[in-house]
Each structure stands twice: as C-alpha cells, then as structure tokens.
C-alpha cells in the first residue's frame, strides 16, 4: 500500500473521530448546554445527540459502501442502489405503513420493500442462469418508475398522512433513538461481508470474461453484491428515510483520491460517507427551523456532482 493511501486512511479515521465529538457537542440552535445542569447535559448528550450522531455515522457509511459496490458491479460511476429500485421499494413500504397502519412497523416495511424490489429486479433480469449488467440496470429503472407510480397513488389517497410521508421521503434522523442505532449496527455486518468481495470487485472491473478466466463466479458475485447492497440500503432507509447523493458522490470522490482498488476504496468511502452525513445532519438540525437532512445532501450534492462530471469531461 502506498504511503499516500495510508495517510488518507489515517486522516479520514482521525477526522471521523473528531467529527463524532464535535457533532455531538453541537446542538440545536438557541439551546446552550451552559443553561443546563449536569443531569440535563448528560441526558441531552447521551439520550438525544449521541444516538443521532451514531445513526448518521452508520447510515452514511452504509450508503457509501453500497454505492461503491454498485458502481464497481455496474462499472458505472452513476450507479448506486437507488437506481435499481431499492429506494423506491423502501419508500413504498414506509408509505404503506404510514397510511394503513399509522406508522406501525415502518422500519420493517421499509426494509421489506427495499429488499423485495431488488429481488424482483434480479429475477426479471435473469435469463438462462445469467444476468446481463445492462439488463439489470434497465430493469431497475423500470421497476423503480413502477414503484414510484404506486407510491404516488398511495400519497394521493393518504389524506392527512401526506405531510408525514413527504417528511419521511426527504430523509431525516430526528426520530432516532438507541433502538434505531442497534438496528443500524446491522449495516456494519453487511459492510464487513461486502469487504470480503473487494478483490472480486477489482477483478470484475477488468470485464466479465477476464473475471471468469481468473476463477471468479461472476453470476454468484452479482447476486451476492446485489443482496448485500440492498440489505445495507434497506437498513439505512428504514432508519433514516430516503437520503440521496451519499451513495452516489462519496465513492466517486474517494475513487479520485485513493484510486480504484476496492480494498482501499471501500473503507475510505465508508469513513467519508459517515463524515459527510454527520455534518449534513448537524447543519440540518442547527437551522432556525430544522429541515430534513435529505434536503441538505441534495442541495450540496447535486451541484458538486455536476462539477465533478464537467471536470472529468474536460480531462
């Protein structure tokens, strides 16, 4: 491993640790810890802010890891789990829970929706035991549009629940408690399993035929990456709603910094994604009126991504 890569990894790790401390210390606008007693300070820090910060860390890391895997699988830096319908499936599951069950089991329904949509896309794309990447991508777009139409219908008939659905669809961590953090820890399990496929991701980036000649079972690899990515995204969506651009931009940026080796790219993208979402959520909750963190990530993420695209086009 090159010296520069070590420096980047260590710097990201230190910045991640510092970000956990700083974002936990920074609170809602207008509320100072100096106005509270020791018991109040401990309650604010450990019962309110810390679980929210840790959830942002886990969700950001998970979305970045899933995005890295999808971009490696599709060999396309525009790909992420959302493009194959995972996000739309999770959103539809959450909306059904809000409208018909008063929000009961929302994380479970979101997770089931996200995972089921990925499985459907995979089955549609499978022909004679093989899954072409192009077919998988196009099937994902088609299923995503279909699920979006169902979501629009559910929103149309939702009545008074429309505001709640809209707020959840924009993504946020305001309702996160320690129970949600425990659920989000499953993201680390998925990311750890994903790391075992880092070498295979490097090989498949050379092309499917070359990967077959080098002993990689390409079809099993595709299925494993899809399931792991949808599992991670499903957990993230069930905890924090639909937060865009983290899984799309972070791998793209870190690939420029540390290169395409997924053994390095995966952990560096996870740390960078965690840092980005923690600070984005801190910005969202310190506004005079708190806004969904998905608005912040989209506001900064979309122009930055356009800048990256134009920069790469010129080179």
């Amino acid at each position: 491993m090159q010296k520069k890569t070590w420096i980047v990894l260590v710097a990201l790790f230190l910045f991640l640790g510092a970000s956990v401390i700083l974002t936990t210390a920074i609170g809602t606008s207008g509320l100072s810890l100096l106005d509270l007693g020791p018991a109040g300070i401990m309650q604010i820090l450990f019962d309110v802010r810390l679980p929210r910060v840790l959830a942002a860390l886990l969700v950001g890391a998970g979305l970045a890891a899933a995005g890295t895997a999808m971009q490696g699988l599709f060999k396309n830096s525009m790909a992420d789990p959302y493009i194959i319908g995972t996000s739309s499936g999770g959103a539809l599951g959450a909306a059904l829970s809000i409208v018909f069950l008063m929000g009961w089991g929302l994380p479970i329904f979101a997770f089931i929706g996200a995972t089921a949509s990925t499985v459907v896309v995979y089955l549609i794309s499978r022909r004679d035991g093989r899954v072409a990447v192009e077919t998988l991508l196009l099937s994902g777009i088609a299923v995503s549009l279909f699920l979006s139409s169902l979501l629009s219908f559910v929103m149309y008939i939702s009545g008074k629940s429309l505001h709640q659905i809209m707020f959840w669809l924009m993504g946020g961590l305001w309702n996160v408690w320690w129970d949600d953090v425990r659920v989000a820890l499953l993201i680390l399990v998925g990311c750890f399993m994903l790391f075992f496929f880092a070498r295979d991701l490097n090989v498949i980036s050379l092309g499917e035929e070359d990967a077959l000649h080098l002993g990689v079972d390409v079809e099993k690899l595709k299925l494993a990456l899809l399931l792991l990515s949808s599992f991670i995204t499903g957990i993230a969506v069930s905890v924090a709603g639909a937060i865009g651009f983290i899984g799309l931009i972070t791998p793209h940026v870190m690939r420029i910094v540390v290169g395409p080796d997924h053994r390095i790219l995966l952990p560096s993208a996870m740390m960078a994604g965690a840092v980005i979402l923690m600070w984005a959520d801190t910005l969202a909750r310190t506004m005079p009126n708190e806004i969904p963190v998905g608005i912040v990530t989209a506001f900064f993420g979309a122009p930055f991504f356009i800048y990256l695209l134009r920069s790469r086009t010129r080179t």
Side-chain angles (χ1 to χ4, degrees), residues 33-310:
L33 292 179
L34 299 177
D35 299 331
L36 304 172
I41 293 175
M42 295 296 287
Q43 185 176 13
I44 290 292
L45 289 180
F46 291 97
D47 292 343
V48 178
R49 293 183 186 173
L50 189 57
R52 182 167 179 164
V53 168
L54 293 179
L57 185 155
L58 294 168
V59 170
L63 291 176
T68 303
M70 287 295 95
Q71 291 181 12
L73 174 63
F74 291 118
K75 297 184 282 293
N76 187 331
S77 57
M78 298 293 289
D80 73 347
Y82 289 75
I83 207 168
I84 60 171
T86 307
S87 175
S88 299
L92 179 61
L96 290 174
S97 169
I98 292 171
V99 173
F100 297 109
L101 298 172
M102 305 291 288
W104 180 86
L106 188 149
I108 299 173
F109 276 82
F111 172 70
I112 292 174
T115 305
S117 61
T118 306
V119 172
V120 168
V121 169
Y122 179 80
L123 293 177
I124 291 174
S125 310
R126 198 164 185 264
R127 287 288 183 276
D128 301 325
R130 296 194 61 184
V131 177
V133 170
E134 295 79 8
T135 308
L136 189 68
L137 200 59
L138 293 174
S139 300
I141 294 171
V143 170
S144 180
L145 291 173
F146 177 71
L147 293 175
S148 295
S149 70
L150 293 179
L151 176 61
S152 299
F153 176 73
V154 173
M155 293 171 66
Y156 181 75
I157 65 171
S158 62
K160 295 180 180 178
S161 300
L162 179 60
H163 178 75
Q164 187 180 357
I165 296 175
M166 289 297 298
F167 213 60
W168 190 88
L169 287 177
M170 287 187 281
L173 294 152
W174 58 88
N175 278 331
V176 166
W177 299 100
W178 281 111
D179 288 343
D180 300 298
V181 176
R182 294 186 187 96
V183 173
L185 284 174
L186 292 171
I187 290 174
L188 290 183
V189 177
C191 292
F192 185 72
M193 296 173 68
L194 205 56
F195 187 75
F196 278 105
F197 294 100
R199 177 188 167 277
D200 291 339
L201 272 169
N202 289 341
V203 175
I204 202 173
S205 66
L206 302 173
E208 293 190 16
E209 293 298 326
D210 292 332
L212 282 170
H213 291 149
L214 291 172
V216 176
D217 192 330
V218 174
E219 297 308 317
K220 286 185 179 178
L221 176 63
K222 290 177 187 173
L223 180 60
L225 291 176
L226 283 174
L227 290 179
L228 281 174
S229 298
S230 64
F231 172 77
I232 293 170
T233 307
I235 296 293
V237 169
S238 69
V239 170
I243 299 175
F245 286 98
I246 299 293
L248 183 65
I249 291 177
T250 310
H252 194 77
V253 173
M254 294 314 301
R255 190 176 293 105
I256 296 173
V257 176
V258 300
D261 187 344
H262 288 84
R263 294 171 298 180
I264 310 301
L265 182 58
L266 266 172
S268 59
M270 286 174 61
M271 289 189 282
V275 168
I276 291 172
L277 190 55
M278 279 193 291
W279 283 108
D281 182 57
T282 301
L283 179 61
R285 63 186 160 89
T286 50
M287 291 281 189
N289 292 311
E290 181 173 344
I291 61 174
V293 69
I295 294 177
V296 177
T297 58
F299 183 81
F300 290 103
F304 186 62
F305 190 65
I306 293 171
Y307 165 75
L308 286 176
L309 284 177
R310 292 187 62 84

